[in-house]
Amino acid sequence: GLAAAWSDTMNTERPSNVSFFDFIGGVQLLQGENTRTVMPVLLIGVCVSGAVGNLLVLLIFIRDFRNGKGSEVKALLASLASTDLVILLLCAPVRAITYYKQTWTLGSFVCSTTDWFQHSCVVAKTLILAFTTRAKHTLVPSNATGSLHNPTWIHGALAFIWIVSMMFPIPQMLFASMLPYGRDNICVSEMPACASDFMSLFYKIYPTATFVVPVIYTVAYYTKTLHTAVNHAPRPQHQSKVILVLLCLSGALGLMLLPEWGTFTWIRLGYSRPPVGLMMFAQVLLYACSSFSPVILMTMYDDVRQGLISIWFIGTCRSKKRVPRKKCPKTEGNGAEVGANAVTNAISPGNEKTFPDVEHFWTGRRNTHVEEDQDPVPWEREEKML
């Protein structure tokens, strides 16, 4: 029923003068209350859990840089966590609202920019991981006291990554439009037939240059480097751990984004439309990828795991400090009165234990005082000798 409704909708709504017709910002006009409730709840759960994990990773990296334990690879991983956080906080809620409303209710500006912005962040993630292959991740030990080796290189690399990432998905913004559908609106992407030849070539180059080539290069590089680090590196234990973390991040990104890129390219090249369930599954995997990256870092990266333990101890110690403590009695003079009171309480009839020796000691000294004519420090009265 869901697939049939999807096919009928796309066939009836597709104009004759466009080469392809696709929804933007989530699949719309779906029938069934299960889809309307399950998808928003699933997306919100992934969004909240992933946002918490990426915030913790960012706090740990900021703490390392403030303590002088930063490195180039940590700077790039912090940028990766920031990108994942933006995807989860700005892109996932749009899809959750769309699945709940089943039509488009967020206006023309969000309709024009939502897919462009999400594609920019996804491309940036792939390129950031590719640029970690040039970062000094094997030469800086975990107990290093220096900061970044060349921060100018990091700034230039991130600027280049985001410029390229925002330029490639521009057709996602140009072809987006909001169409009326009865009393409601839908957000779709329509490519004119006159541009079909050029865009057909573009949609073959675009996924290849921004996803296939960077992922294959990154996975192959770290696989070879891991083999070299284990067998020939002077410190194979630490180096192999860091490289293994980056290899797992690259592999997870490639596998979890493959359905999204596959369905995206398949639709725009004019082939038969994929099942709607596959498209929804691909969108969920895209956001799950951003939530899975901090899990890999927290479980496999030693510096992040130690930072997480430190943050946990700091939080628990602060909570213990808030517990009210018993006030200590204030002492005035030489403290004899406090001792006498303590012994008096100890030998009171209500207490079982008595300390006669201690009682005699304090009783003999409880009312000690210095005679006025007796100076306890006689040398202070001596006149100063010239």
Side-chain angles (χ1 to χ4, degrees), residues 213-235:
V213 172
V215 168
I216 292 178
Y217 167 76
T218 307
V219 172
Y221 175 86
Y222 284 125
T223 302
K224 179 181 178 181
T225 309
L226 180 64
H227 180 268
T228 305
V230 171
N231 296 319
H232 305 290
R235 297 183 58 191

Side-chain angles (χ1 to χ4, degrees), residues 46-47 49-55 57 80-89 91-92 118 121-122 125 249 252-253 256-257 283-296:
V46 171
C47 175
S49 60
V52 172
N54 284 289
L55 278 175
V57 170
L80 181 67
S82 302
T83 307
D84 286 331
L85 192 63
V86 170
I87 291 175
L88 293 171
L89 294 181
C91 299
Q118 177 170 290
C121 294
V122 171
K125 283 181 56 176
L249 284 175
L253 182 139
M256 299 182 79
L257 294 185
Q283 291 186 5
V284 173
L285 274 185
L286 186 148
Y287 302 116
C289 179
S290 297
S291 301
F292 191 59
S293 296
V295 176
I296 295 177

Side-chain angles (χ1 to χ4, degrees), residues 15-29:
S16 58
N17 60 341
V18 298
S19 57
F20 81 87
F21 183 89
D22 187 27
F23 286 121
I24 287 181
V27 183
Q28 300 153 55
L29 302 179

Side-chain angles (χ1 to χ4, degrees), residues 13-329:
E13 294 297 326
R14 175 173 175 173
S16 58
N17 60 341
V18 298
S19 57
F20 81 87
F21 183 89
D22 187 27
F23 286 121
I24 287 181
V27 183
Q28 300 153 55
L29 302 179
L30 293 175
Q31 299 177 1
E33 291 296 326
N34 293 332
T35 306
R36 184 176 182 180
T37 55
V38 172
M39 283 296 293
V41 171
L42 184 61
L43 291 177
I44 291 174
V46 171
C47 175
V48 172
S49 60
V52 172
N54 284 289
L55 278 175
L56 287 175
V57 170
L58 279 177
L59 289 176
I60 292 169
F61 283 140
I62 291 173
R63 183 174 177 270
D64 287 346
F65 280 108
R66 293 183 64 181
N67 295 336
K69 297 181 179 179
S71 63
E72 292 178 356
V73 69
K74 286 184 179 180
L76 293 175
L77 289 178
S79 302
L80 181 67
S82 302
T83 307
D84 286 331
L85 192 63
V86 170
I87 291 175
L88 293 171
L89 294 181
L90 297 182
C91 299
V94 173
R95 271 68 182 174
I97 294 173
T98 301
Y99 281 112
Y100 178 75
K101 295 292 185 179
Q102 297 182 349
T103 55
W104 188 258
T105 59
L106 299 176
S108 59
F109 177 76
V110 180
C111 174
S112 301
T113 58
T114 178
D115 267 26
W116 167 79
F117 184 73
Q118 177 170 290
H119 271 252
S120 299
C121 294
V122 171
V123 173
K125 283 181 56 176
T126 308
L127 296 182
I128 287 172
L129 278 175
F131 270 77
T132 57
T133 59
R134 297 185 56 85
K136 293 181 173 62
H137 53 276
T138 58
L139 301 179
V140 181
S142 59
N143 58 354
T145 57
S147 58
L148 292 179
H149 292 272
N150 190 0
T152 306
W153 178 85
I154 297 295
H155 297 159
L158 291 176
F160 173 78
I161 287 171
W162 279 103
I163 290 173
V164 172
S165 302
M166 289 187 292
M167 289 180 61
F168 261 109
I170 286 179
Q172 297 300 107
M173 185 167 48
L174 296 178
F175 298 144
S177 61
M178 196 166 62
L179 299 179
Y181 185 81
R183 296 181 179 179
D184 300 317
N185 295 314
I186 58 175
C187 184
V188 298
S189 177
E190 296 179 321
M191 185 175 68
C194 60
S196 60
D197 294 336
F198 173 78
M199 295 309 299
S200 177
L201 178 62
F202 173 79
Y203 283 125
K204 293 176 182 177
I205 298 175
Y206 172 47
T208 304
T210 59
F211 175 72
V212 177
V213 172
V215 168
I216 292 178
Y217 167 76
T218 307
V219 172
Y221 175 86
Y222 284 125
T223 302
K224 179 181 178 181
T225 309
L226 180 64
H227 180 268
T228 305
V230 171
N231 296 319
H232 305 290
R235 297 183 58 191
Q237 185 176 5
H238 174 71
Q239 293 183 9
S240 59
K241 284 183 178 180
V242 177
I243 296 170
L244 182 61
V245 170
L246 297 173
L247 176 61
C248 291
L249 284 175
S250 305
L253 182 139
L255 291 176
M256 299 182 79
L257 294 185
L258 182 60
E260 174 67 19
W261 279 108
T263 55
F264 172 83
T265 308
W266 193 262
I267 292 173
R268 279 151 182 79
L269 291 182
Y271 298 103
S272 59
R273 187 165 299 278
V276 61
L278 177 61
M279 299 184 66
M280 296 166 63
F281 175 72
Q283 291 186 5
V284 173
L285 274 185
L286 186 148
Y287 302 116
C289 179
S290 297
S291 301
F292 191 59
S293 296
V295 176
I296 295 177
L297 292 175
M298 291 179 185
T299 55
M300 300 183 64
Y301 199 178
D302 291 341
D303 292 353
V304 175
R305 187 169 62 249
Q306 293 173 3
L308 184 63
I309 295 173
S310 301
I311 292 177
W312 172 262
F313 281 146
I314 291 173
T316 52
C317 290
R318 287 183 178 178
S319 61
K320 289 181 180 179
K321 289 180 180 179
R322 296 177 182 176
V323 178
R325 296 183 177 181
K326 296 182 179 179
K327 294 183 178 180
C328 297

